Amino acid sequence: MFGADVHPDGSAAFPVGETVVSRIFREEYGRSVASLIRAFGDIDAAEDAVQEAFAVALRKWPGDGLPPNPGGWITTTARNLAIDRQRREARGRELLREVAVLLPQKDDPGTAKEVGAVEDDRLRLIFTCCHPALSTEAQVALTLRLLGGLSTEEVARSFVVAEATMAQRIVRAKRKIKAARIPYRIPEVHELPDRLRPVLAVVYLLYNAGPPTPAEPDLRRQAIRLARVLSTLMPNEPEVAGLLALLLLTESRRASRSRPDGSLVLLGEQDRTRWDRALIEEGQAIVRRYRRHGPPGPYMLQAAINAVHADAATVQQTDWSQIVALYDQLFAVSPTPVVALNRAIAIGEVQGPTAALRLVNELDLGDYYPFHATRADLLWRLGRADEAAAAYERAAALAPTKAERDFLKLGGRADVIKEAGR
Amino acid sequence: MAHYLLSVHSVAGEIREPMTDDEMKESFRQIGILEAEMKSSHSLVLSGRLHEPDTATVVRISNGEVLTTDGPFAESKEHLGGFYIIEADNLDAALAWATKVSKTIKRPIEVWPFVDVRS
């Protein structure tokens, strides 16, 4: 969006400047928009002003050099631009009646004292974007658009949706915020269980967003960045920390999770020397820090499970009974069939494939390809090769990407099968 | 300030556990407390409970003629059973009232903003 919409003439007169401005755009957009929404009470006005301020930056910075605090410069410039525009538009009309929807009280929009409250503004914006009155799709789109600074086109591409569809989704969500007067505020403690749930779900969804598109690494970075912002702003919420730890520990295995051709590598077969130790240590430190914060929630439990995996130098050294105990706790707070499946796999590592298969067969997960892949693996280990092959085929038929289909068609054990064929 | 419709829906043919007289009394008492709270905070504009949907009548103008038929208008299973119209600062404040109503009458509540006539 930025390069295409804002660059005045498309020339490459200051290529370095533009790269720097683009980077600052990504880092500062959400912060500036959040601050402007509180000052002016209107999302569109805030976005327009911040984008205009970046356009000014593109013209001025290459000649004048970077200001000492580029983010602050953008916010101040955007605020001045917005005030100018309001003065022009408010002439002959009752001042700001319409744009005051999101304002907590009738402040003079120009003199909002946001110093020190800037971080709170971003938190307000996250809770507004992820308000439970909005659909999950709208929550995700607004979060990426307003906090991530992604253009509508980029958001659309990330979710393989037509740009017009995404544009309409964002317009409708903004309209609902105005019409229903979804407030710009941080929920009170008693509201948090209901309100934090969609916020965490959106960040988790961003990290795991669907098919591997060119935008996917950026979505993962955005998700981790948002989780960091949240955990800094809400240090007393263990589930926020749990989500961050879960994302860091999952990310630590990213490099070893797939082969250069895109095919998947199972956890047990990954090259553990390629796991990112810095991310593991950060994630494990979070899990340790919150160990005594009362009964852990689902994100912290998943983080803890990943922390145990990260401790083992080989799959054989994994403390599986610890993992089973954590899955027992996870199933108690989040009794879904998918959790039950993963718990069964862990039990299989402790008690053997017969016990695991008995548990897996009880699950109603016929449309979920990992269910068939798990059954296939257990059947293979029990020497029931024909049944295993049939289960792999069902898994392959249901798998969403070509890499996963190819992987499963080879029985998920390409090397083993090649070995057997020799 | 904005106005919101808090509506309670009834499902045609749905069998609900009949309340004993004591339960009924207790329920009315709690609703009374809640409505008093709404009034004292100047949040309540109007409230009401509707008869069964088949007591409704529809009037429409067809080719310039009045045509009156039996109701209800919407051929759906769910019908408006009762409502509150409240005044609140924003959606969260309206949702807080909806939470209280839902806890009291043990039914889901739909919260729907009115168009602000000033805009």
Side-chain angles (χ1 to χ4, degrees), chain A residues 2-296:
Chain A
F2 189 53
D5 287 352
V6 174
H7 196 288
D9 56 4
S11 75
F14 38 82
V16 176
E18 194 176 353
T19 314
V20 171
V21 176
S22 291
R23 180 177 55 75
I24 293 170
F25 186 90
R26 271 294 150 83
E27 286 167 5
E28 302 292 341
Y29 185 84
R31 207 191 298 256
S32 292
V33 166
S35 161
L36 271 274
I37 291 174
R38 190 169 53 79
F40 294 93
D42 185 82
I43 293 173
D44 287 329
E47 281 202 289
D48 287 349
V50 172
Q51 284 174 19
E52 215 180 320
F54 272 100
V56 175
L58 257 188
R59 284 199 303 274
K60 291 192 99 167
W61 291 356
D64 299 359
L66 270 190
N69 174 4
W73 188 96
I74 290 289
T75 305
T76 307
T77 305
R79 183 175 315 113
N80 293 336
L81 288 165
I83 291 169
D84 287 349
R85 180 179 295 193
Q86 276 192 342
R87 288 202 180 120
R88 284 198 304 274
E89 289 176 359
R91 216 170 282 148
R93 237 204 295 151
E94 197 183 339
L95 188 69
L96 302 177
R97 155 92 61 82
E98 278 174 55
V99 296
V101 167
L102 294 169
L103 282 180
Q105 61 268 324
K106 290 181 181 96
D107 280 342
D108 177 349
T111 61
K113 9 180 194 323
E114 82 298 331
V115 183
V118 174
E119 297 301 341
D120 282 353
D121 285 341
R122 268 200 295 181
L123 204 49
R124 283 190 184 93
L125 185 51
I126 291 177
F127 278 108
T128 300
C129 289
C130 299
H131 197 283
L134 299 168
S135 72
T136 303
E137 287 174 336
Q139 292 168 354
V140 168
L142 278 181
T143 302
L144 276 179
R145 180 82 192 82
L146 298 177
L147 281 150
L150 267 67
S151 70
T152 303
E153 194 235 318
E154 287 168 317
V155 179
R157 208 172 341 114
S158 306
F159 292 95
V160 204
V161 169
E163 190 181 346
T165 310
M166 187 55 79
Q168 198 181 36
R169 194 178 289 171
I170 291 173
V171 166
R172 283 204 180 135
K174 285 178 179 171
R175 196 194 300 149
K176 179 159 186 180
I177 290 175
K178 263 192 186 180
R181 295 174 73 100
I182 292 177
Y184 197 51
R185 63 186 271 272
I186 298 162
E188 287 170 31
V189 173
H190 74 271
E191 296 170 290
L192 270 185
D194 187 33
R195 296 303 171 82
L196 200 51
R197 198 183 308 121
V199 171
L200 300 178
V202 162
V203 175
Y204 186 72
L205 201 68
L206 286 185
Y207 186 84
N208 293 294
T213 61
E216 194 220 347
D218 197 41
L219 286 186
R220 291 205 315 272
R221 272 195 297 276
Q222 288 279 2
I224 291 176
R225 201 175 58 83
L226 279 172
R228 280 192 198 284
V229 170
L230 280 171
S231 68
T232 310
L233 299 180
M234 308 182 83
N236 296 323
E237 291 299 325
E239 276 296 86
V240 175
L243 174 65
L244 175 60
L246 174 61
L247 297 190
L248 293 171
L249 290 163
T250 310
E251 184 68 11
S252 74
R253 298 198 295 267
R254 180 61 53 177
S256 58
R257 265 194 56 185
S258 56
R259 298 192 179 85
D261 65 358
S263 59
L264 298 176
V265 185
L266 293 174
L267 180 61
E269 290 160 9
Q270 290 175 10
D271 175 3
R272 297 185 177 218
T273 61
R274 293 177 67 205
W275 288 1
D276 187 323
R277 296 314 305 181
L279 290 176
I280 288 174
E281 273 160 34
E282 191 185 352
Q284 289 183 328
I286 295 170
V287 173
R288 278 195 300 273
R289 197 177 318 137
Y290 285 86
R291 194 168 278 164
R292 291 180 215 300
H293 268 247

Side-chain angles (χ1 to χ4, degrees), chain A residues 310-333:
Chain A
D311 260 343
T314 65
V315 69
Q316 289 77 20
Q317 289 171 22
T318 307
D319 186 350
W320 285 106
S321 41
Q322 171 82 359
I323 287 181
V324 171
L326 289 165
Y327 269 119
D328 286 345
Q329 287 188 65
L330 182 58
F331 190 74
V333 294

Side-chain angles (χ1 to χ4, degrees), chain A residues 97-98 101 131-133 176 179-183 185 187 191 195, chain B residues 1-2 4 88-93 95-96 113-114 116 118-119:
Chain A
R97 155 92 61 82
E98 278 174 55
V101 167
H131 197 283
K176 179 159 186 180
R181 295 174 73 100
I182 292 177
R185 63 186 271 272
E191 296 170 290
R195 296 303 171 82
Chain B
M1 278 293 183
Y4 296 88
D89 274 337
N90 56 46
L91 183 64
D92 282 0
L95 295 179
F114 279 85
D116 183 354
R118 292 170 305 172
S119 63

Side-chain angles (χ1 to χ4, degrees), chain B residues 35-71:
Chain B
E35 290 182 359
E37 189 188 344
M38 284 181 176
K39 278 180 195 146
S40 67
S41 63
H42 305 289
S43 303
L44 185 64
V45 177
L46 181 68
S47 70
R49 209 176 132 200
L50 302 175
H51 280 293
E52 290 300 303
D54 59 9
T55 62
T57 309
V58 180
V59 176
R60 56 164 65 78
I61 309 299
S62 174
N63 297 323
E65 303 269 308
V66 176
L67 180 66
T68 306
T69 57
D70 64 329

